[in-house]
Amino acid sequence: MKNYHLTPEQFREEGKKIIDWIADYYENIEKYPVLSQVEPGEIKASLPEQPPQKGEPFSQIMHDLDEKIMSGITHWQSPNFYGYFPSNTSFPSILGDLVSSGLGVQGMIWATSPAATELETRVLDWLAEMMDMPEKFKSTSTGGGVIQDTASTSALTAVIAARERATKYESNKTGVRQKLVAYVSSQTHSSLEKAIKMAGIGSENLRMIDVDDQFAMRPEMLQKQIQEDKKNGLLPFFVCATIGTTSSTAMDPVREIGEICRAENCWLHVDAAMAGTAMACPEFRHLKDGVELADSYCFNPHKWMFTNLDCDVFWVANRNELINTFSILPEYLKNKATETGAVFDYRDWHVQLGRRFRSLKLWFVIRHYGAEGLQFHIRKHVEMAQNFASWVRESDDFEIVVEPQINLVCFRHKSDDDFNMKLMNTVNETGKAFFTHTKLNNRVVLRMSIGQTHTEERHVKETWQLIKATAEHLLKNRKAKN
Amino acid sequence: MKNYHLTPEQFREEGKKIIDWIADYYENIEKYPVLSQVEPGEIKASLPEQPPQKGEPFSQIMHDLDEKIMSGITHWQSPNFYGYFPSNTSFPSILGDLVSSGLGVQGMIWATSPAATELETRVLDWLAEMMDMPEKFKSTSTGGGVIQDTASTSALTAVIAARERATKYESNKTGVRQKLVAYVSSQTHSSLEKAIKMAGIGSENLRMIDVDDQFAMRPEMLQKQIQEDKKNGLLPFFVCATIGTTSSTAMDPVREIGEICRAENCWLHVDAAMAGTAMACPEFRHLKDGVELADSYCFNPHKWMFTNLDCDVFWVANRNELINTFSILPEYLKNKATETGAVFDYRDWHVQLGRRFRSLKLWFVIRHYGAEGLQFHIRKHVEMAQNFASWVRESDDFEIVVEPQINLVCFRHKSDDDFNMKLMNTVNETGKAFFTHTKLNNRVVLRMSIGQTHTEERHVKETWQLIKATAEHLLKNRKAKN
Ligand SMILES: Cc1ncc(COP(=O)(O)O)c(C=O)c1O
Ligand SMILES: Cc1ncc(COP(=O)(O)O)c(C=O)c1O
């Protein structure tokens, strides 16, 4: 009888073809233009307006994937992708996630798949150990880790837990009534402002503290602002320090900020979304000095740790503060294990109820690479960035804007902003490499973010040569016009 | 040189083994106890306390998956899984998600992979068409759809957008200052209460409206409560109507509730997380009568539409209300396509920034099954549930608690609550089937939720026989004891 499902045999066949398709993709990835060249609406127009009434053969779907979808892909996994921040994945991660899709478990509480909860707890304890995080972040102490989908959601979770702690768990009941104030730097990721809005605090109650010439938060300005707010009858409750800001990988002084938070009874959230992966290497750990003063901390394996989206690691110092904020227990989820308190129910550690078995991919990555393999690649990325920076320094036409601390180089052509934008767009339009810009001190800055899984020295070198040649060519044209 | 990566060749080899592993899993899935039988802490204790310093061979990871993880899995994909609600997946979905992991794109904005945005827009328009949703939910009109991770996040998104509309986008700035009140029924999913807390409204400002004998919200009680709140100077702003409550699949009268919302200027969110899939069949569409009055609507393909977590479809009537609420535009994300307004940047439609290419799996599912194949399976599930209900009705010892509307049967043994709990636990401990309970009118109710991809008539029949036999056995033992 026709039942429309693929049989296991058909799945074996189609699945293996897709495995080959992915392997082929990586073998040929340099042939694609890194930045998709399509126009708005082009992909959509190529897809039928009406849904299919009848099922279609798998070969047709794969054909359309090649013919209709691929031209609309910007290739984040290309070794020549240097845009924004890395979002690297790796073969072990892809396979770990495949197992997760295959098992299809919903790990909302311990009882709905104990392994999903316990592997997550174990793997996040491993990471805390591997990255020399404070003991209190471990499940064996007062805290623990949970996988969130994104750093944005971690920020929201931290803000809300902080709000509840500051209001003695009253605002969950009454709504936000106190005059709460939060603090970030002018370089903090926009997800913090978004979180402050979503949590009902309001952007007027978010202070953007000034930064120093390295774009790091100035703790004395934080201190001053807190005093002023207190004088005005406001209640400071939350500070976010960033290890590795998005624009320029600036490093906020966590210890000094943390000490202020301790004294002022503010929740300290540390956002290490991209740079956090570097903590796997001892030589970068000074960047997290003072992290034992944090109430929460997050970093994204889905940025720089070879693990595909979604995967953000969120640690807290005191898990009860999370659970008291987010816990719900409807009758239909009651069970013995939960009642005895012997288990974690991760649903109570975050926004969502349903949860995918995300720790599998992380487990695959950590076991496949080992601490050693991860360190190898992190160091290689940092070294390539440092080399790129040295080429910029040696050139007459370009300059370094901030000294690169790890794997991001902020630089610019010594010409004006328009020229830099033009240069960037021209390079990106070749499809040979892709990088993006930001503004620092109101000037356009070009960013080479080096962290893709398959980026090698030769890619970085060729991209530098392309940038230089393009700049020379544009300058020549400009002169010819004048 | 050793670079720790799997080569594409190794990936082909290991990947194909995992495809076979998954096919084997489905071929043998009935041999596993549906509910994991492990004790709290057992899985964690089986995993090393220390992270691996050196990488390990893939064979070792797969070995540990079998030996250490599998016993801690509760098999949501088993044809004998009848717990909670379905969280079904299918081979096409697993493969679509594999392609997504392989491509590893980060679709936060249009420019970072146009196909990720445009395929999502197209596929959600298809679904709106397939399910006969109001035109305004389509991207070609004022609204549009976006894939959220979960229905919980959709609820939060709806609450926050409603809060902003009601306060003229002021509370994003000032924090929640107005006396907002929201309305749900006593049967509404707990994620709504969680959302109201997270958004800074406070659970005191959430009214739980009474339900009728079918556990559906009583619109006249809603009307009364709104009037009372207005008299007390409060501002009603948000109502959630549920199509298919979690406990008993009760159907709130969307039209009557929607008319009240129109008159009172409240945002109407419709939560059809589980039951929404039924709208693919014309014969169930009366359950959504009045949905054109909704401001937002969500349902979870990751529950009943053969699509693995995370996948919640969220439609809005007016996308500008979402974008005005959630939009942020830091310099480093500025680009031409965004500036001209020619594209959707889905980051501005939800909480998170980073986003996975989730529409691929939905596209694979819809194209593989076609509307016809989806209808076939939905109808089959409903039919099996109706058959189960008829067996309950025919038995002397059991009774139906509420008439099943679609695929969930709420029933109980005519004995007491303790007996019902004992019966459920005893059946679940056999590992042969798994179902769960709830409480309705303060009495324990057993729930057979029928919606797993591979559930056939014979599974349901055997489970019914097991339940009956177990009840008889327990009764006999009880009598022997007395
Ligand atoms: C009616 C209803 N709404 C919301 C949810 C929450 O779903 P999710 O896990 O996607 O947040 C569920 C099930 O868990 C549900 O049945
Ligand atoms: C420092 C920092 N925080 C937060 C984020 C947001 O990450 P996500 O997409 O995981 O929310 C980013 C990057 O986007 C980031 O660089």
Side-chain angles (χ1 to χ4, degrees):
Chain A
M1 199 200 68
K2 178 165 179 173
N3 79 0
Y4 299 87
H5 292 313
L6 285 182
T7 64
E9 272 327 301
Q10 289 170 315
F11 173 75
R12 287 180 208 271
E13 202 182 310
E14 300 302 338
K16 289 172 191 177
K17 280 191 221 157
I18 291 182
I19 292 289
D20 279 328
W21 185 91
I22 293 172
D24 292 346
Y25 174 63
Y26 282 91
E27 283 174 345
N28 294 295
I29 199 163
E30 293 182 49
K31 295 181 192 152
Y32 294 92
V34 187
L35 177 68
S36 169
Q37 311 284 314
V38 300
E39 293 297 317
E42 208 176 310
I43 301 291
K44 202 171 148 207
S46 77
L47 301 163
E49 278 184 29
Q50 294 297 317
Q53 183 56 29
K54 288 193 180 299
E56 299 170 68
F58 232 77
S59 56
Q60 189 59 44
I61 305 175
M62 291 306 291
H63 174 266
D64 287 352
L65 176 64
D66 286 326
E67 298 301 313
K68 299 184 171 178
I69 303 297
M70 290 307 285
S71 62
I73 298 293
T74 289
H75 300 275
W76 283 73
Q77 302 310 319
S78 166
N80 289 312
F81 184 98
Y82 312 101
Y84 313 106
F85 34 75
S87 183
N88 64 22
T89 186
S90 63
F91 290 137
S93 169
I94 294 169
L95 295 179
D97 215 26
L98 172 58
V99 172
S100 168
S101 297
L103 289 174
V105 306
Q106 211 276 36
M108 57 186 168
I109 55 176
W110 180 88
T112 64
S113 258
T117 294
E118 297 194 8
L119 183 66
E120 184 161 331
T121 306
R122 181 58 95 207
V123 164
L124 299 196
D125 280 352
W126 280 2
L127 278 175
E129 183 68 27
M130 264 176 61
M131 298 184 154
D132 192 28
M133 287 291 156
E135 275 304 305
K136 63 181 184 177
F137 284 1
K138 293 186 186 161
S139 72
T140 45
S141 174
T142 51
V146 62
I147 300 179
Q148 303 267 5
D149 52 3
T150 60
S152 301
T153 307
S154 277
L156 179 63
T157 308
V159 165
I160 294 173
R163 184 192 77 191
E164 290 311 303
R165 187 176 79 179
T167 63
K168 305 200 168 60
Y169 301 91
E170 275 302 306
S171 45
N172 255 345
K173 289 184 213 131
T174 60
V176 182
R177 293 283 167 260
Q178 274 101 332
K179 295 180 171 173
L180 300 170
V181 207
Y183 305 82
V184 299
S185 89
S186 58
Q187 296 294 311
T188 302
H189 191 263
S190 52
S191 55
L192 271 292
E193 180 175 343
K194 198 162 166 173
I196 289 291
K197 289 174 174 177
M198 291 189 285
I201 315 286
S203 56
E204 286 178 6
N205 304 307
L206 177 68
R207 307 284 179 253
M208 307 253 183
I209 305 298
D210 260 3
V211 292
D212 63 18
D213 57 2
Q214 298 299 301
F215 305 98
M217 190 191 284
R218 292 174 56 186
E220 75 283 9
M221 299 300 280
L222 171 66
Q223 176 67 17
K224 210 177 125 196
Q225 184 66 50
I226 290 180
Q227 299 318 321
E228 201 175 306
D229 287 327
K230 279 166 66 182
K231 233 182 277 165
N232 291 325
L234 307 177
L235 183 62
F237 83 108
F238 177 89
V239 180
C240 175
T242 305
I243 297 180
T245 59
T246 314
S247 265
S248 68
T249 326
M251 303 290 173
D252 288 339
V254 177
R255 179 170 301 285
E256 286 166 88
I257 294 171
E259 278 161 5
I260 296 170
C261 288
R262 275 285 162 94
E264 301 295 345
N265 211 6
C266 284
W267 181 292
L268 174 61
H269 175 61
V270 175
D271 176 5
M274 199 284 294
T277 295
M279 304 312 145
C281 303
E283 68 270 33
F284 301 118
R285 290 190 191 142
H286 63 278
L287 298 171
K288 70 169 176 60
D289 177 54
V291 77
E292 69 278 9
L293 299 167
D295 294 288
S296 58
Y297 178 106
C298 82
F299 88 100
N300 287 357
H302 75 216
K303 283 197 158 65
W304 193 19
M305 215 181 83
F306 312 100
T307 307
N308 61 276
L309 266 159
D310 315 281
C311 191
D312 166 87
V313 169
F314 181 64
W315 282 302
V316 289
N318 181 348
R319 60 181 171 265
N320 288 333
E321 292 170 347
L322 265 194
I323 296 168
N324 290 341
T325 301
F326 292 101
S327 177
I328 47 165
L329 185 52
E331 182 65 32
Y332 70 91
L333 291 182
K334 287 189 181 158
N335 67 84
K336 262 187 260 171
T338 296
E339 272 154 36
T340 59
V343 300
F344 291 167
D345 288 326
Y346 276 132
R347 152 206 69 185
D348 293 334
W349 295 47
H350 57 38
V351 171
Q352 296 87 354
L353 176 61
R355 58 198 326 265
R356 188 179 161 91
F357 194 170
R358 290 203 185 100
S359 55
L360 270 177
K361 59 188 173 192
L362 211 44
W363 189 54
F364 271 54
V365 166
I366 295 172
R367 292 196 61 184
H368 169 75
Y369 287 99
E372 191 182 271
L374 296 174
Q375 288 168 347
F376 173 85
H377 284 288
I378 296 159
R379 286 174 179 148
K380 200 169 112 182
H381 288 149
V382 173
E383 193 186 311
M384 289 189 284
Q386 301 301 331
N387 289 345
F388 187 93
S390 73
W391 304 330
V392 172
R393 265 186 230 104
E394 284 160 17
S395 85
D396 293 329
D397 299 337
F398 289 86
E399 60 190 356
I400 291 289
V401 180
V402 266
E403 285 307 312
Q405 306 236 25
I406 39 174
N407 62 333
L408 171 72
V409 185
C410 290
F411 68 110
R412 51 178 278 135
H413 192 274
K414 288 177 183 166
S415 177
D416 57 20
D417 279 5
D418 282 352
F419 185 84
N420 276 283
M421 290 302 286
K422 176 105 194 191
L423 169 60
M424 178 184 86
N425 288 326
T426 309
V427 170
N428 288 345
E429 276 159 22
T430 67
K432 289 186 190 152
F434 175 65
F435 64 104
T436 55
H437 80 288
T438 188
K439 277 189 180 166
L440 292 171
N441 292 332
N442 259 322
R443 286 202 319 175
V444 167
V445 174
L446 306 179
R447 300 166 72 263
M448 272 289 284
S449 160
I450 299 177
Q452 285 312 120
T453 307
H454 300 288
T455 302
E456 301 284 341
E457 188 75 26
R458 69 182 165 89
H459 300 107
V460 181
K461 200 168 259 167
E462 280 167 24
T463 300
W464 170 240
Q465 273 147 9
L466 176 64
I467 293 171
K468 265 202 323 192
T470 308
E472 278 161 27
H473 181 77
L474 289 175
L475 273 183
K476 217 183 289 169
N477 277 4
R478 198 193 243 187
K479 278 187 196 137
K481 266 194 204 151
N482 292 351
Chain B
M1 200 199 69
K2 180 165 179 175
N3 78 359
Y4 300 88
H5 293 313
L6 287 180
T7 64
E9 273 327 301
Q10 289 170 317
F11 173 76
R12 287 180 208 270
E13 201 183 311
E14 300 302 337
K16 288 171 190 178
K17 280 191 221 156
I18 291 181
I19 292 290
D20 279 328
W21 185 92
I22 294 172
D24 292 346
Y25 173 63
Y26 282 92
E27 283 175 343
N28 293 296
I29 198 163
E30 293 181 49
K31 294 181 193 152
Y32 295 92
V34 187
L35 177 67
S36 168
Q37 311 284 313
V38 299
E39 294 297 319
E42 208 175 310
I43 301 292
K44 203 171 147 208
S46 77
L47 302 164
E49 279 184 29
Q50 295 297 317
Q53 184 55 28
K54 288 192 178 301
E56 299 171 69
F58 232 77
S59 56
Q60 189 58 44
I61 305 176
M62 291 307 290
H63 174 266
D64 287 352
L65 176 65
D66 286 326
E67 298 302 313
K68 300 184 171 178
I69 303 297
M70 291 307 286
S71 63
I73 297 293
T74 289
H75 299 276
W76 284 73
Q77 302 311 319
S78 166
N80 288 312
F81 183 99
Y82 311 102
Y84 313 105
F85 34 77
S87 182
N88 65 23
T89 186
S90 64
F91 290 138
S93 169
I94 294 169
L95 296 179
D97 216 24
L98 173 57
V99 173
S100 167
S101 296
L103 289 175
V105 306
Q106 212 277 37
M108 56 186 169
I109 55 176
W110 181 87
T112 64
S113 256
T117 294
E118 296 194 9
L119 183 66
E120 184 161 331
T121 306
R122 181 58 94 207
V123 163
L124 299 195
D125 280 352
W126 279 4
L127 278 174
E129 182 70 28
M130 264 176 61
M131 298 185 155
D132 192 29
M133 287 291 154
E135 276 302 305
K136 62 179 184 177
F137 285 1
K138 293 186 187 162
S139 71
T140 44
S141 174
T142 52
V146 63
I147 300 180
Q148 302 267 7
D149 52 4
T150 61
S152 301
T153 307
S154 277
L156 178 63
T157 308
V159 165
I160 295 173
R163 184 192 76 191
E164 291 311 304
R165 187 175 80 180
T167 63
K168 304 197 170 60
Y169 301 91
E170 275 300 307
S171 44
N172 255 345
K173 287 184 214 132
T174 60
V176 183
R177 293 283 167 261
Q178 274 102 333
K179 295 180 169 174
L180 300 170
V181 208
Y183 305 81
V184 300
S185 91
S186 58
Q187 297 293 311
T188 302
H189 191 264
S190 51
S191 54
L192 270 292
E193 180 176 342
K194 199 163 165 172
I196 290 292
K197 290 175 174 178
M198 291 189 285
I201 314 287
S203 56
E204 286 177 8
N205 304 307
L206 177 68
R207 308 282 179 253
M208 306 256 183
I209 305 298
D210 260 3
V211 292
D212 64 19
D213 58 2
Q214 297 300 300
F215 305 97
M217 190 192 282
R218 292 173 57 186
E220 74 283 10
M221 299 300 280
L222 171 66
Q223 177 67 19
K224 211 177 123 196
Q225 184 64 50
I226 290 180
Q227 299 317 322
E228 203 175 304
D229 287 327
K230 279 167 65 181
K231 233 182 278 162
N232 291 325
L234 306 177
L235 181 62
F237 83 108
F238 177 89
V239 180
C240 174
T242 305
I243 298 180
T245 59
T246 315
S247 264
S248 68
T249 324
M251 302 290 173
D252 289 340
V254 176
R255 179 169 302 285
E256 286 167 87
I257 294 171
E259 278 161 4
I260 296 171
C261 288
R262 275 285 161 96
E264 301 295 346
N265 210 7
C266 285
W267 183 291
L268 174 60
H269 176 62
V270 175
D271 177 6
M274 200 283 295
T277 295
M279 304 312 147
C281 303
E283 67 270 34
F284 301 119
R285 291 191 191 143
H286 63 278
L287 299 171
K288 70 169 176 64
D289 177 54
V291 77
E292 68 279 8
L293 299 167
D295 294 287
S296 57
Y297 177 105
C298 81
F299 89 99
N300 287 355
H302 76 216
K303 285 199 156 64
W304 192 18
M305 213 181 85
F306 312 101
T307 308
N308 60 277
L309 265 159
D310 314 279
C311 191
D312 166 87
V313 169
F314 181 66
W315 282 302
V316 289
N318 180 349
R319 59 181 172 264
N320 288 333
E321 293 171 346
L322 265 194
I323 295 169
N324 290 341
T325 301
F326 292 102
S327 177
I328 46 165
L329 185 51
E331 181 65 33
Y332 70 91
L333 292 181
K334 287 191 180 155
N335 66 84
K336 264 187 258 170
T338 296
E339 271 154 36
T340 59
V343 300
F344 290 168
D345 288 325
Y346 275 132
R347 153 206 69 183
D348 293 334
W349 295 48
H350 57 39
V351 171
Q352 295 86 356
L353 175 62
R355 57 197 326 264
R356 191 179 158 90
F357 193 171
R358 290 203 184 100
S359 56
L360 270 177
K361 60 189 173 191
L362 210 45
W363 189 54
F364 271 54
V365 166
I366 296 171
R367 293 195 62 184
H368 169 77
Y369 287 99
E372 192 182 271
L374 295 175
Q375 289 168 347
F376 173 86
H377 284 288
I378 295 160
R379 285 172 179 147
K380 202 170 110 181
H381 287 149
V382 173
E383 193 186 310
M384 289 190 282
Q386 301 300 330
N387 289 345
F388 187 94
S390 73
W391 305 329
V392 172
R393 266 186 228 102
E394 285 160 18
S395 86
D396 294 329
D397 300 337
F398 289 85
E399 62 191 355
I400 290 289
V401 180
V402 266
E403 285 306 313
Q405 306 235 27
I406 38 174
N407 62 333
L408 172 73
V409 186
C410 289
F411 69 110
R412 49 178 279 136
H413 192 272
K414 288 176 182 167
S415 178
D416 57 20
D417 280 4
D418 282 352
F419 185 85
N420 275 283
M421 289 302 284
K422 175 107 194 186
L423 170 60
M424 178 184 87
N425 288 326
T426 309
V427 170
N428 288 345
E429 277 159 22
T430 67
K432 289 185 189 152
F434 174 65
F435 63 105
T436 55
H437 79 289
T438 189
K439 278 189 180 166
L440 292 171
N441 293 332
N442 257 323
R443 286 201 320 174
V444 167
V445 174
L446 305 179
R447 300 166 73 263
M448 273 289 284
S449 160
I450 298 176
Q452 285 312 122
T453 307
H454 300 289
T455 301
E456 299 285 342
E457 188 74 27
R458 69 181 166 89
H459 298 108
V460 180
K461 200 168 260 167
E462 280 167 25
T463 300
W464 169 239
Q465 273 148 7
L466 176 64
I467 292 171
K468 266 202 322 191
T470 307
E472 279 160 26
H473 181 76
L474 288 176
L475 273 183
K476 217 184 289 168
N477 276 4
R478 197 193 242 188
K479 277 185 196 137
K481 267 198 204 146
N482 293 351

